[in-house]
Amino acid sequence: MKKFVNDPKAFVPEMLEGLALANPDTLTYVPEYNLIMRADSPRNDKVSIVQGSGSGHEPAHVMAVGKGMLDAACPGDVFAAPPMDYVYETAKRLASDKGVLLLVNNYTGDRMAFDMGKEMADADGVRTELLFINDDVAVKDSLYTIGRRGVAGNFFVIKAVGAASEEGADLDECIRIGKKVNDVTRTMGVALTACTPPAKGSPLFELADDEIEMGVGIHGEPGRERKKIAPADAIVDELLDAIVGDLPYSSGDRVALMVNGLGGTPISELYILFRRAHQRLADQGITVARSYVNEYCTSLDMAGASITLVKLDDEIERLLQAPAEIGNRIF
Amino acid sequence: MKKFVNDPKAFVPEMLEGLALANPDTLTYVPEYNLIMRADSPRNDKVSIVQGSGSGHEPAHVMAVGKGMLDAACPGDVFAAPPMDYVYETAKRLASDKGVLLLVNNYTGDRMAFDMGKEMADADGVRTELLFINDDVAVKDSLYTIGRRGVAGNFFVIKAVGAASEEGADLDECIRIGKKVNDVTRTMGVALTACTPPAKGSPLFELADDEIEMGVGIHGEPGRERKKIAPADAIVDELLDAIVGDLPYSSGDRVALMVNGLGGTPISELYILFRRAHQRLADQGITVARSYVNEYCTSLDMAGASITLVKLDDEIERLLQAPAEIGNRIF
């Protein structure tokens, strides 16, 4: 294993400590619960927006905490749901008069932790609601999922409910907006290589030198098909056909287009994918009104990418445009 | 080779086309010269800030074009200096009453292209000046360099002169600021793996499964030592000792600290490095006043990282804080 790591057991806490040191004025780290929260949260005039998930998907979700985005994130260990008491303690600390919205990517382990954490918080009188995200079109059920997986499209749900909550939207309104964005968001990914969890020290699965996994999950779950590697444009076409046909997105639609790197792929290659996706959507009469090319939801060091489309209307587009800040900044 | 690529010869133009499609309102792409420029440049009330270099270091430098950063970038092919006529044509198109500042990382090929490109522009009456960047402390001379290499510290020179030029600084003042920042900036990197140029299709050099290259260059040039992989903290300590001792940075200094990913390393690991660097600097009485953890200057898909320190004074800190925009955005 070739990684920058000390003790694999300390991978997550050391990362979180680094994140907090890099953002001393804006983020607070609570080591007992892997909790990263905004220094100015909770606020009683604002719904608190919280996401938990396994670690290993950075910048999701601990680095998506900031103004106009998450109020807090409570990750579990690498590829493991946070324990229910982390969820409970996080909800308690983020308690606001306007309530707490817990965003959960649709994995069985995460749902269980959040269902129970919510129940414990409710028993304490903390008003919480759950919102599940399931944007991955690749497979119907998966290794760790009943129903579709939640992947990079999650960013758009966070962005929209984060913006709405800053504007003072109440909990019901935040839920309405989050569900609406999730309903018009679709993603599919592809792996060129497997990822290596620090504690395992070897790749999670094997891919031959000339093979790719179409529809891979962000924990290395199998996708639709293992096949021979193809030119970038052909890979984009296959991903995009699956995504566009699913909602479906149609001629005349305005969309947000995201090309998300899975951790080990350089940004140069992501723009080569973006170019083809943009061209192919234009050919179908679909207008890319907002562009996202970066790492948003990764799978450790996996080489690969995912494509996400969001069908825009005036409300969603306005919320996506609203100002926002996050922990992993450029400047 | 496992990459998202079509024809390796089209790697750079397809990437640039994607970048322009993702930024239709702010960037202009001139395919004849690999030129990416701000849609609102040149402006006669502003020095035009231009960088050229080989490609393969993205987001440097084509994705660093934007308000408060570069006015334009004219990259060469992967790991190849831009041809002199690209430099010349870029200088001509960016000509402003206040002049054109050409930023050049110190590599022999780049210096040659920019010396000649400047001469051609001067002959046309375009006022241009050159500024060389050489922040890498690893080696005195290198494969492609007489003197020190220019690497990720380049970001800070761009940021500072970009901000100064927006404020109306003249060409001499931009040069003064750029040299001043370069003089207090030091970087050293480490490779865990080699990178694979698309046209070559195989790794540029070989590293055993348990080896790292301390002081590696961003084109895979040899560093100070090839050694056994060590815990993350030990790697940081070695890099930081070389950097801190070089200027030297001393107790009482305020610094900007950058942990830069080389392309294939996930951001989670970069924060583990940042944590240790921050702690070790604190132990030495050096205050990290500004933090940068991301990819700034990469080497294709190389797994690895570099650490950069900039010694701050009020002027540099103010320029680093100024608002700025770039092509590869998060939001």
Side-chain angles (χ1 to χ4, degrees):
Chain A
M1 175 177 61
K2 285 190 135 177
K3 284 185 185 298
F4 295 117
V5 60
N6 296 299
D7 176 1
K9 287 194 200 70
F11 189 83
V12 173
E14 289 188 354
M15 166 184 75
L16 298 179
E17 204 177 325
L19 178 62
L21 286 171
N23 295 276
D25 301 327
T26 51
L27 297 182
T28 302
Y29 171 42
V30 184
E32 305 90 284
Y33 308 111
N34 276 3
L35 171 57
I36 292 282
M37 57 189 282
R38 283 172 57 176
D40 60 350
S41 293
R43 279 164 36 197
N44 278 324
D45 62 341
K46 180 185 176 305
V47 174
S48 290
I49 312 294
V50 174
Q51 172 109 37
S53 70
S55 291
H57 307 301
E58 294 73 25
H61 298 97
V62 290
M63 297 167 198
V65 176
K67 192 171 155 72
M69 293 285 286
L70 294 176
D71 289 274
C74 62
D77 208 339
V78 171
F79 293 176
M84 70 178 96
D85 56 313
Y86 287 26
V87 176
Y88 165 62
E89 294 288 347
T90 297
K92 274 205 306 190
R93 276 158 206 260
L94 274 295
S96 138
D97 289 352
K98 297 191 86 162
V100 180
L101 178 57
L102 302 169
L103 303 179
V104 186
N105 282 355
N106 184 42
Y107 297 95
T108 308
D110 291 279
R111 291 191 74 129
M112 186 184 299
F114 275 85
D115 280 342
M116 292 180 176
K118 170 187 165 36
E119 211 168 291
M120 292 162 74
D122 286 346
D124 274 5
V126 179
R127 188 181 169 207
T128 56
E129 294 293 343
L130 296 168
L131 195 154
F132 299 102
I133 296 152
N134 61 346
D135 54 310
D136 188 341
V137 306
V139 291
K140 188 178 169 300
D141 300 312
S142 183
L143 275 185
Y144 314 114
T145 319
I146 298 168
R148 289 180 165 183
R149 304 175 293 216
V151 288
N154 167 286
F155 170 85
F156 294 103
V157 176
I158 294 174
K159 180 69 189 73
V161 299
S165 70
E166 292 289 346
E167 292 171 357
D170 66 18
L171 188 50
D172 289 344
E173 177 71 351
C174 287
I175 292 170
R176 179 189 69 77
I177 288 168
K179 283 188 172 163
K180 175 178 165 179
V181 173
N182 183 61
D183 285 349
V184 295
T185 300
R186 297 289 189 277
T187 301
M188 193 158 124
V190 58
L192 303 189
T193 68
C195 57
T196 296
K200 183 170 188 291
S202 60
L204 257 190
F205 60 99
E206 292 298 328
L207 266 179
D209 279 351
D210 60 349
E211 278 182 340
I212 61 176
E213 180 76 28
M214 288 296 297
V216 71
I218 56 172
H219 313 92
E221 306 97 309
R224 291 186 172 187
E225 190 185 1
R226 184 161 298 191
K227 57 193 297 183
K228 296 289 178 198
I229 192 165
D233 287 358
I235 293 173
V236 169
D237 292 355
E238 186 171 340
L239 291 175
L240 214 48
D241 285 353
I243 295 164
V244 169
D246 192 89
L247 189 62
Y249 303 83
S250 312
S251 179
D253 282 349
R254 287 167 65 81
V255 296
L257 167 61
M258 170 187 280
V259 174
N260 166 60
L262 291 180
T265 286
I267 194 160
S268 46
E269 296 177 37
L270 301 183
Y271 278 99
I272 289 174
L273 300 177
F274 180 86
R275 165 189 169 274
R276 176 62 169 197
H278 192 288
Q279 288 172 343
R280 196 165 170 91
L281 290 169
D283 290 344
Q284 297 172 52
I286 299 170
T287 301
V288 176
R290 297 192 62 79
S291 302
Y292 299 80
V293 187
N294 223 307
E295 289 179 350
Y296 292 91
C297 184
T298 62
S299 181
L300 294 167
D301 54 352
M302 183 184 285
S306 65
I307 295 178
T308 300
L309 286 187
V310 187
K311 184 170 171 175
L312 299 175
D313 64 11
D314 290 348
E315 180 180 49
I316 296 176
E317 197 163 353
R318 191 181 65 74
L319 293 168
L320 295 186
Q321 278 169 347
E325 295 167 14
I326 50 170
N328 71 313
R329 296 160 287 105
I330 298 287
F331 294 109
Chain B
M1 175 178 60
K2 285 190 133 176
K3 285 185 184 298
F4 295 117
V5 60
N6 295 299
D7 175 1
K9 286 195 202 68
F11 189 83
V12 173
E14 289 187 355
M15 167 184 75
L16 298 179
E17 204 176 326
L19 178 63
L21 287 170
N23 295 277
D25 301 327
T26 51
L27 298 183
T28 303
Y29 171 42
V30 184
E32 303 90 286
Y33 307 111
N34 277 2
L35 170 59
I36 292 283
M37 57 188 284
R38 284 172 58 177
D40 60 351
S41 292
R43 280 164 34 199
N44 278 324
D45 62 341
K46 181 186 175 302
V47 173
S48 290
I49 313 294
V50 173
Q51 171 109 36
S53 70
S55 291
H57 307 301
E58 295 71 26
H61 297 96
V62 290
M63 297 167 198
V65 176
K67 192 172 154 73
M69 292 285 286
L70 295 175
D71 290 275
C74 63
D77 207 339
V78 172
F79 293 176
M84 69 178 96
D85 56 313
Y86 287 24
V87 176
Y88 165 62
E89 294 289 346
T90 296
K92 274 203 308 189
R93 277 158 205 260
L94 273 294
S96 138
D97 288 352
K98 297 192 84 163
V100 180
L101 178 57
L102 302 170
L103 303 178
V104 186
N105 282 356
N106 184 41
Y107 297 95
T108 309
D110 292 278
R111 291 190 74 130
M112 187 185 298
F114 276 84
D115 280 343
M116 293 180 175
K118 171 186 165 36
E119 211 168 291
M120 292 162 75
D122 285 346
D124 275 5
V126 179
R127 189 181 168 207
T128 57
E129 293 291 344
L130 295 169
L131 195 154
F132 298 103
I133 296 153
N134 61 345
D135 55 309
D136 188 341
V137 307
V139 291
K140 187 178 168 300
D141 298 313
S142 184
L143 275 185
Y144 314 115
T145 318
I146 298 168
R148 289 181 163 182
R149 303 173 296 216
V151 288
N154 166 286
F155 169 86
F156 294 103
V157 176
I158 294 174
K159 180 70 187 73
V161 299
S165 70
E166 291 290 345
E167 293 171 358
D170 65 19
L171 188 51
D172 290 342
E173 176 71 352
C174 287
I175 291 170
R176 179 189 69 77
I177 288 168
K179 282 188 173 162
K180 176 178 165 179
V181 173
N182 183 61
D183 285 349
V184 295
T185 299
R186 298 290 189 277
T187 300
M188 191 158 125
V190 57
L192 304 189
T193 69
C195 57
T196 296
K200 182 169 188 292
S202 60
L204 256 191
F205 59 99
E206 290 300 328
L207 266 179
D209 279 350
D210 61 349
E211 279 182 341
I212 62 177
E213 180 77 26
M214 288 296 297
V216 71
I218 56 172
H219 314 92
E221 305 97 310
R224 292 186 172 188
E225 191 185 1
R226 183 161 297 192
K227 55 194 296 183
K228 296 288 177 197
I229 191 164
D233 287 358
I235 294 172
V236 169
D237 292 355
E238 186 171 341
L239 291 175
L240 214 47
D241 286 352
I243 295 163
V244 169
D246 192 89
L247 188 60
Y249 302 84
S250 312
S251 179
D253 282 350
R254 288 167 63 82
V255 296
L257 167 60
M258 170 187 280
V259 175
N260 166 59
L262 291 180
T265 286
I267 193 160
S268 45
E269 297 176 39
L270 300 183
Y271 278 98
I272 289 175
L273 301 178
F274 180 86
R275 165 189 168 274
R276 176 63 167 196
H278 192 288
Q279 288 172 344
R280 195 166 171 90
L281 290 169
D283 290 344
Q284 297 173 55
I286 299 170
T287 301
V288 176
R290 298 191 62 78
S291 302
Y292 300 80
V293 187
N294 224 308
E295 290 178 348
Y296 293 90
C297 182
T298 62
S299 181
L300 294 167
D301 54 352
M302 183 184 285
S306 65
I307 295 179
T308 299
L309 286 188
V310 186
K311 184 170 171 174
L312 299 175
D313 63 11
D314 290 348
E315 180 181 48
I316 296 176
E317 197 163 352
R318 190 181 65 74
L319 293 168
L320 295 186
Q321 279 169 347
E325 294 167 15
I326 48 170
N328 71 312
R329 296 160 288 103
I330 298 287
F331 294 109

